Amino acid sequence: MRFQLLGPLALADGPDVVVLQPSKPVILLAALLLHANSTVSADYLQRAVWGEDQPATAKAALQTCVLRLRRLFTKHGVTGTSIEAVPGGYRITAGPPTLDLLGFRDQVRRATALAGDPEAELYTLKDALSLWQGSLLANVRSDVLHRDEVPRLSEERLRAVERVCDLLLGLGRCGEALVDLWTATRVYPGHERFHEQLIEALYRTGRQSQALAEYRRVKGFLLDELGVDPSPSLRQLELSILRGEDLGAGGAVRAAVEPAPAPASAPAPGATSRVIQGAAVPLPAAAPGAGPVPAVPHFTGREAEAAAMAARLTAPPSPGGDGGRPLTVLVSGAPGIGKSALAQHVAHLVRDSFPAGRLLVRMTRADGRPRTADEVAAEVGAALGPARAGERALLVLDDVVDADQVRPLLTPPDLAVVVTSRMGLGGLIATHGGWVHRLTAFTEAESYALLLAALGTERVAAEPRAARQLTALCSHFPAALRILTARLLTRPGLRLGDAVDWLGDDPLARLTLTDSPDHSVSGLFDRALDRLDPRLSEALLRIGAGPPELLGEAIRTDGEQNHPPVPEDVLEQLADAGLLEDGPPGPYRIHDLLRAHLRRTVRIRNRRTEKV
């Protein structure tokens, strides 16, 4: 059993995770785990549970709370961990394998010891950050803990995030650093070091005007909101950019090989922290390469698929089975349907079953070109290192283009492989076996649950009808829902009812992130079309712009022009590419958002033709 503090307080037993419901015993558990292996005074525990205005019976009520917590342990089968009554208070014992907070700190210490090897330090820090699962203690209703403890923990994470970005800049991986820094600077607008890193990364990737614009934006924020000037280092960076100086990797490399600051030692329970609290910043790995599997914030839905995948990946080999081949699980479906999120989520659920490591490998480059099998094999071998007898590793091969990319990697028997692909990869399954999970759009309940997780119960429950209308406007498409919730989070004062009208006017135009135009539903579909053979993309445009019956028998729409059906082999290839779904009605159907995008694309193309 593992306690999870770095997010909602939860109990994890292998792939099974139970998020505890808010209660006083849960507050007590959080207070004890935050100071695991130390005595926590009864007075502090009482203040954590009941606040500063404690009832006269708080001492006796605390003892009752301890009994209820022990019964909670029994209910969920918690063994090997107990709450001890010691002089002056209580204590709970835990270690890195049983408490994610201690696991995070242990990994950060290991990273510090690797300061002479930036690549190894970066890998270890990213593995540590992958333990963060969302908003800290979201289900723990204690003003004392959120005032005294959450800011301190957030600061530990910020130091690790900052160090990761320093390492990426030092290694010359500025494009990869940009992905993390766009998010970090928006979530923590007053954290100047993140802005400094972002401006440097923009400049070193050839975006001088954007770097200067970002400096002006930060300067304006600091003056308007805080009444202070940018720091000397930020001002010096602006001057270097104006002079056109070559920042190179030199200065950043020197920073990258210095040890990361160790986590601050925990203050005595009750000490007040002055660090500003912030939300968790996800660190998705967008550039090609092998690295630790990042956590998925606000993961919801796909319960049956996640449970089935976890069970298959952790099951012992079947008697008489082919023990010389790694276990393979394929997750396929349309672009933006949530394949990568599911694979990464399951990788975290089963992490205890893969002590040799869990590795995420991007199989395509930023421009969509596939990476070669030889290139990936060398990278995986270097990342996993020498095999340890009896220890299994998990490999997540993300966005595979064809079976030939995968086959050379399916050799070590102590390896389990999760493949995500838009393609069906039937040939791979035919030659190497494995399990297939083909994803479709969310159900209404799953879409609603995503809004609850991302926006918070209070905001969604206040306008449940509008929330359901928003999910319908997104056609329950996971990528669209993620973009929508990101936009709504940046506009906390916008009523969901008003958002329905705003989104309904033009869903495709509104389902984009203005500060990150690559994150849009239209862009997602355009990139998918670009990866198709021209004959297939033209057929898909014809299907999208034409009547639904094009997926079935020939029809006459205008009394004169006959529209023959699209050949079945073309339909099969489009379905295999994840761009057509299984019926009903008929053998195939097309997702509503994709159809809308295709119709818009054809209208734009026709207008251009008319102008010519």
Side-chain angles (χ1 to χ4, degrees):
M1 186 67 71
R2 181 181 179 87
F3 295 98
Q4 294 183 346
L5 264 179
L6 303 180
L9 182 55
L11 299 174
D13 186 6
D16 300 321
V17 178
V18 177
V19 177
L20 300 175
Q21 293 300 309
S23 66
K24 287 182 171 55
V26 168
I27 299 174
L28 173 63
L29 176 60
L32 290 169
L33 289 174
L34 285 165
H35 302 280
N37 307 315
S38 301
T39 298
V40 186
S41 71
D43 178 66
Y44 181 75
L45 293 173
Q46 289 165 200
R47 285 192 290 113
V49 174
W50 287 281
E52 302 298 342
D53 298 324
Q54 302 170 32
T57 58
K59 185 174 182 180
L62 178 63
Q63 295 172 349
T64 302
C65 210
V66 170
L67 292 175
R68 289 176 60 194
L69 183 54
R70 286 169 176 161
R71 284 198 293 269
L72 184 70
F73 280 14
T74 302
K75 174 184 175 182
H76 291 290
V78 177
T79 58
T81 302
S82 61
I83 302 168
E84 304 173 74
V86 295
Y90 294 88
R91 179 176 60 205
I92 194 169
T93 303
T98 56
L99 178 58
D100 60 358
L101 174 59
L102 298 183
F104 169 75
R105 289 171 174 166
D106 185 58
Q107 286 287 82
V108 170
R109 280 191 291 270
R110 292 183 185 182
T112 302
L114 294 168
D117 185 347
E119 285 281 5
E121 184 184 356
L122 176 64
Y123 180 92
T124 305
L125 276 177
K126 283 198 168 188
D127 202 35
L129 286 165
S130 71
L131 295 172
W132 292 70
Q133 299 290 325
S135 297
L136 279 170
L137 305 183
N139 55 338
V140 178
R141 296 174 180 170
S142 168
D143 292 340
V144 171
L145 294 184
H146 281 275
R147 182 197 66 200
D148 296 350
E149 305 293 346
V150 168
R152 175 173 57 82
L153 293 182
S154 297
E155 181 62 21
E156 288 188 40
R157 186 179 186 282
L158 282 179
R159 291 181 182 180
V161 173
E162 186 180 307
R163 180 61 178 166
V164 162
C165 294
D166 272 338
L167 288 164
L168 289 171
L169 292 173
L171 292 165
R173 291 156 63 175
C174 300
E176 187 175 343
L178 280 173
V179 176
D180 304 335
L181 289 166
W182 278 122
T183 305
T185 51
R186 271 52 185 174
V187 176
Y188 301 102
H191 193 105
E192 289 187 64
R193 178 57 186 151
F194 283 147
H195 291 290
E196 188 177 338
Q197 291 170 320
L198 174 61
I199 293 166
E200 179 183 342
L202 287 169
Y203 178 63
R204 288 174 56 191
T205 52
R207 297 152 75 173
Q208 179 179 4
S209 61
Q210 199 170 353
L212 291 170
E214 182 66 17
Y215 174 82
R216 289 192 294 271
R217 193 188 70 80
V218 176
K219 181 179 180 181
F221 170 83
L222 293 172
L223 287 172
D224 295 343
E225 299 295 327
L226 305 177
V228 298
D229 289 318
S231 65
S233 57
L234 258 176
R235 295 198 299 271
Q236 179 59 48
L237 179 59
E238 182 209 21
L239 186 60
S240 298
I241 294 173
L242 290 171
R243 290 172 174 170
E245 295 177 2
D246 181 11
L247 299 181
V253 166
R254 285 194 294 273
V257 297
E258 295 172 1
S265 57
T272 301
S273 171
R274 295 184 180 272
V275 181
I276 299 173
Q277 178 184 349
V281 181
L283 286 170
V293 182
V296 182
H298 307 308
F299 185 88
T300 55
R302 311 293 190 201
E303 293 180 1
E305 294 91 342
M309 287 175 63
R312 285 163 181 160
L313 291 170
T314 57
S318 58
D322 187 354
R325 283 182 179 171
L327 172 67
T328 305
V329 176
L330 168 64
V331 184
S332 64
I337 206 69
K339 303 179 293 294
S340 300
L342 175 61
Q344 293 170 27
H345 175 66
V346 171
H348 277 271
L349 293 181
V350 301
R351 59 178 172 264
D352 293 341
S353 298
F354 296 95
R358 295 163 291 116
L359 201 62
L360 174 67
V361 184
R362 309 287 179 177
M363 300 298 286
T364 53
R365 305 181 191 280
D367 59 4
R369 289 183 298 119
R371 305 175 68 208
T372 66
D374 290 343
E375 176 188 0
V376 173
E379 197 171 75
V380 169
L384 289 178
R388 291 174 285 186
E391 291 193 352
R392 301 178 70 207
L394 176 64
L395 197 60
V396 179
L397 303 179
D398 190 43
D399 199 14
V400 168
V401 174
D402 57 46
D404 289 338
Q405 269 191 306
V406 181
R407 289 192 179 104
L409 301 172
L410 302 182
T411 50
D414 288 334
L415 192 66
V417 181
V418 176
V419 174
T420 77
S421 179
R422 300 174 186 181
M423 310 302 295
L425 301 186
L428 178 68
I429 300 301
T431 58
H432 285 71
W435 300 89
V436 179
H437 295 272
R438 188 170 180 88
L439 303 184
T440 58
F442 276 163
T443 64
E444 290 184 16
E446 288 175 324
S447 298
Y448 190 77
L450 176 59
L451 259 63
L452 283 172
L455 303 179
T457 303
E458 184 177 351
R459 189 175 183 186
V460 175
E463 299 179 81
R465 183 170 178 272
R468 296 190 187 282
Q469 288 176 303
L470 287 172
T471 64
L473 285 169
C474 290
S475 299
H476 308 292
F477 194 63
L481 290 164
R482 287 196 297 269
I483 292 170
L484 170 67
T485 54
R487 293 208 67 171
L488 291 174
L489 283 169
T490 64
R491 301 179 67 181
L494 180 66
R495 292 180 60 256
L496 298 189
D498 295 333
V500 170
D501 297 333
W502 163 75
L503 181 61
D505 286 343
D506 192 347
L508 285 174
R510 301 282 161 76
L511 289 172
T512 184
L513 300 181
T514 53
D515 64 338
S516 183
D518 288 342
H519 289 80
S520 70
V521 170
S522 291
L524 180 73
F525 290 147
D526 278 336
R527 290 190 292 273
L529 283 169
D530 290 342
R531 285 170 64 166
L532 285 178
D533 178 278
R535 181 177 71 104
L536 294 179
S537 62
E538 283 300 316
L540 186 62
L541 285 167
R542 179 182 163 214
I543 291 169
E549 292 82 356
L550 276 180
L551 293 173
E553 298 178 356
I555 63 162
R556 188 175 298 275
T557 59
D558 55 11
E560 297 179 3
Q561 183 180 3
N562 190 53
H563 292 262
V566 177
E568 185 173 351
D569 69 310
V570 173
L571 295 175
E572 276 294 303
Q573 291 178 71
L574 289 171
D576 192 58
L579 296 168
L580 292 181
E581 301 173 356
D582 296 335
Y588 307 102
R589 57 187 168 86
I590 188 168
H591 192 275
D592 290 343
L593 278 180
L594 177 56
R595 183 184 290 279
H597 174 74
L598 294 171
R599 286 178 172 170
R600 171 173 287 189
T601 301
V602 171
R603 285 198 303 270
I604 293 172
R605 188 169 65 177
N606 289 342
R607 282 200 298 270
R608 289 173 179 167
T609 304
E610 290 169 3
K611 289 178 182 179
V612 173

